[in-house]
């Protein structure tokens, strides 16, 4: 039974219950109690929360020492009649404890916030958050933790809250602490903190979108360093031994998974971590259909995963991002009946900006070479003249994770090409290539277009079209030179000059190395793999054959992927170099295009492989326990 702090009865009420002969004496004694002044204890300790071994948070509430001031005077000389008065800190502690015991968390928070000492306020809020976590109220705990004044302790509490939620069957990575860290350690203002300014959402690669839709990059190295300084480390997911074990071929039944997810959603339970990460799959190699069982299964390499310093789930051994349930559901809806059957993004300069930039560069060329003191100011004006570039997303919701990954990867590719992004993969920038091949330096301004799309060597199918194998999954970078009119309009030429072609070719060749170094590119490749599965289901009408309407994963399904602030514009992608006194300015447009049905309609890639049926038969599930939706087999 919960104990609550009760408010003493009023003096008048007590006096009304006393025999008439004692009323005067009792009320007089009570009056003396109310007027008495006592010296408060000076060494009372307030509750604190400490980080224990292995990251566990433990409550450490120090008991207040016994305080023995002079007793209250009474009507009878020398007779004590009442306890000593508590200090304000003690009273707050008692009130908070009473509210917490009664489950009155908001009242407890209100009391905690009356503490003028930051240390006391921190300790009380930690105590409340710990109780909320024990009751499974993780969202409420996070709201309480946001009120903790000490930033380091706030981050530590948020990390522990995420860990406890995962252990309790929660489904998310520790983004709250990262968001809090970014907002406290980067320039604001931030809307959540200051009431004005930018916002940040839970997105693993560290991007920020302000209220106008402007996409910012958060410096990865700086953020990683600050996280390390605060003791935030990569952590392994809490998995059972079977799922944590690396597998060359892990099978995930989409139909069984959909049923399990639908049951959890219907019962109000969170979708667990293993479902969100598709049992640790990192690539798709096979798709199997078992008509008798009504099963559609995807298969590929898998392993246990850890959350890196930015909160992204990556394989413990490979470092490759896991495939995401949210992305799978998003692309299934894109390729379902009524979907757009294609998706992608585009980042393009505005016509008026191109016109201003073109005129600025032409005028600069006419005035002759720049002096050394003019270069910096001149370079800053390039970005100002071109202005921001517009982001367009199609085929998937603009606020989906898929959209954010595509936009992030596209913009980062452009920065690599312009020599404005640090990476160790052997991909020279466009300017580096010009420096190595000076015969192609023409001066003036080049309008280039780079875009990425999927690349597969082949997609094999069995004779009965119930087994499929994906070979040679990668990403292809393509290029084009565009003609600019005097009004800044871009005209597609369908042609690419040698240095532009060479950059695209080197980017494609080194994509595997780049994906190992920068998970955002591997993440995009994983989305292409999931989209190929979705396109296969549509192309082969697998859902109709199995009489599976995609259920919770369908267009109107109950499962709702996470939503993010939708970016609509980004700072300009433009750069320049000076060769032999001649300024060369490059601006880039482009995007990402995922037309997976074109792969399946390509006769050179869509090939028959009769032996695939044997692989499917050898991978069939046997005696799976109720509710199990994944299993491991030995690749044939």
């Amino acid at each position: 039974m919960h104990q609550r702090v009760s408010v003493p009865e009023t003096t008048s009420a007590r006096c009304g219950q006393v025999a008439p002969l004692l009323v005067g004496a009792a009320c007089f004694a009570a009056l003396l109690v109310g007027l008495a002044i006592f010296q408060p204890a000076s060494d009372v300790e307030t509750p604190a929360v400490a980080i224990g071994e292995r990251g566990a948070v433990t409550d450490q509430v120090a008991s207040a020492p016994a305080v023995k001031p002079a007793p209250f005077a009474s009507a009878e000389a020398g007779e004590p009649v009442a306890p000593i008065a508590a200090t304000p800190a003690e009273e707050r502690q008692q009130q908070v404890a009473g509210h917490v015991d009664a489950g009155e968390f908001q009242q407890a928070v209100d009391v905690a916030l009356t503490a003028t000492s930051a240390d006391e306020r921190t300790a009380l809020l930690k105590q409340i958050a710990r109780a909320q976590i024990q009751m499974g109220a993780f969202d409420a705990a996070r709201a309480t933790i946001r009120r903790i004044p000490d930033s380091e302790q706030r981050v530590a509490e948020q990390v522990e809250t995420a860990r406890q939620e995962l252990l309790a069957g929660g489904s998310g990575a520790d983004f709250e602490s990262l968001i809090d860290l970014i907002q406290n350690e980067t320039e604001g203002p931030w809307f959540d903190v200051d009431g004005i300014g930018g916002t940040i959402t839970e997105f693993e690669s560290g991007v920020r979108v302000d209220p106008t839709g402007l996409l910012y990059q958060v410096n990865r190295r700086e953020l990683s360093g600050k996280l390390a300084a605060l003791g935030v480390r990569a952590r392994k997911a809490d998995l059972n031994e079977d799922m944590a074990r690396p597998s060359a071929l892990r099978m995930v039944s989409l139909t069984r998974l959909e049923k399990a997810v639908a049951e959890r959603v219907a019962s109000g339970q969170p979708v667990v971590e293993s479902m969100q990460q598709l049992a640790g799959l990192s690539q798709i190699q096979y798709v199997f259909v078992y008509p008798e069982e009504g099963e559609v299964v995807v298969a590929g390499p898998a392993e246990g995963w850890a959350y890196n310093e930015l909160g992204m789930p990556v394989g413990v051994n490979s470092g490759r991002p896991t495939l995401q349930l949210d992305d799978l559901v998003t692309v299934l809806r894109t390729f379902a009946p009524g979907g757009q059957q294609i998706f992608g993004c585009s980042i393009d300069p505005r016509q008026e900006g191109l016109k201003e930039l073109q005129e600025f560069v032409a005028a600069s060329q006419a005035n002759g070479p720049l002096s050394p003191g003019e270069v910096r100011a001149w370079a800053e004006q390039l970005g100002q003249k071109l202005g921001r570039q517009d982001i367009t997303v199609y085929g998937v919701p603009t606020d989906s994770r898929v959209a954010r990954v595509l936009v992030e990867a596209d913009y980062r590719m452009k920065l690599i090409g312009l020599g404005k992004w640090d990476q160790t993969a052997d991909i020279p920038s466009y300017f580096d290539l010009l420096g190595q091949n000076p015969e192609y330096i023409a001066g003036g301004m080049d309008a280039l277009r780079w875009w990425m799309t999927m690349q597969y060597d082949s997609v094999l199918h069995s004779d009965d079209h119930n087994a499929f194998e994906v070979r040679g999954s990668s990403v292809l970078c393509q290029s084009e030179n565009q003609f600019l009119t005097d009004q800044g309009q871009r005209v597609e030429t369908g042609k690419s000059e040698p240095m532009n072609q060479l950059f695209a070719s080197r980017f494609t060749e080194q994509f595997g190395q780049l994906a190992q170094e920068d998970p955002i590119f591997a993440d995009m490749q994983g989305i292409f793999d999931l989209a190929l599965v979705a396109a296969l289901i549509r192309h082969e009408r697998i859902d109709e054959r199995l009489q599976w309407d995609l259920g919770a994963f369908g267009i109107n399904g109950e499962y709702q992927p996470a939503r993010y602030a939708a970016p609509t514009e980004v700072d300009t992608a433009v750069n320049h170099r000076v060769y032999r006194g001649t300024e060369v300015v490059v601006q880039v447009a482009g995007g990402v295009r995922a037309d997976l049905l074109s792969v399946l309609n390509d006769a050179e890639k869509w090939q028959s492989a009769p032996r695939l049926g044997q692989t499917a038969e050898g991978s069939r599930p046997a005696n799976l326990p109720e509710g199990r939706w994944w299993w491991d087999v030995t690749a044939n």
Side-chain angles (χ1 to χ4, degrees), residues 3 40 84 101 207 262 270 289 316 318 361 379 391 433 453 472 536 591 596 627:
Q3 292 183 342
I84 65 167
D101 285 344
V207 292
V289 181
V316 171
S318 68
V361 172
I391 298 172
L433 295 173
T453 188
L536 258 175
L596 278 302

Side-chain angles (χ1 to χ4, degrees), residues 97-175:
H99 286 308
V100 166
D101 285 344
E104 299 170 346
F105 294 118
Q106 185 55 56
Q107 292 92 324
V109 170
D110 291 342
V111 173
L113 293 178
T114 64
T116 56
S117 163
D119 290 342
E120 181 189 353
R121 195 158 64 250
T122 293
L124 292 174
L125 290 170
K126 283 181 177 182
Q127 180 182 350
I128 297 166
R130 290 288 87 206
Q132 290 170 319
I133 291 171
Q134 290 176 2
M135 293 187 65
F138 295 103
D139 289 340
R142 278 190 285 267
T144 301
I145 291 169
R146 284 183 182 275
R147 313 295 289 271
I148 292 176
D150 185 281
S151 62
E152 291 192 16
Q153 295 192 54
R154 184 167 62 247
V155 170
E157 286 298 298
Q158 288 168 329
V159 170
E160 177 60 19
T161 300
R163 190 182 75 88
Q164 293 292 337
E165 185 173 12
L166 290 173
L167 292 175
S171 58
D174 172 33
F175 299 113

Side-chain angles (χ1 to χ4, degrees), residues 46-118:
T46 55
V49 178
I51 306 297
E53 293 184 2
R54 304 181 65 178
V57 174
T58 58
D59 289 335
Q60 296 179 341
V61 182
S63 301
V67 181
K68 298 180 179 180
F72 287 98
S74 71
E76 298 288 332
E79 182 180 349
V81 297
I84 65 167
T87 67
E90 288 177 318
E91 289 180 352
R92 274 190 293 270
Q93 171 60 43
Q94 292 172 357
Q95 291 174 20
V96 166
H99 286 308
V100 166
D101 285 344
E104 299 170 346
F105 294 118
Q106 185 55 56
Q107 292 92 324
V109 170
D110 291 342
V111 173
L113 293 178
T114 64
T116 56
S117 163

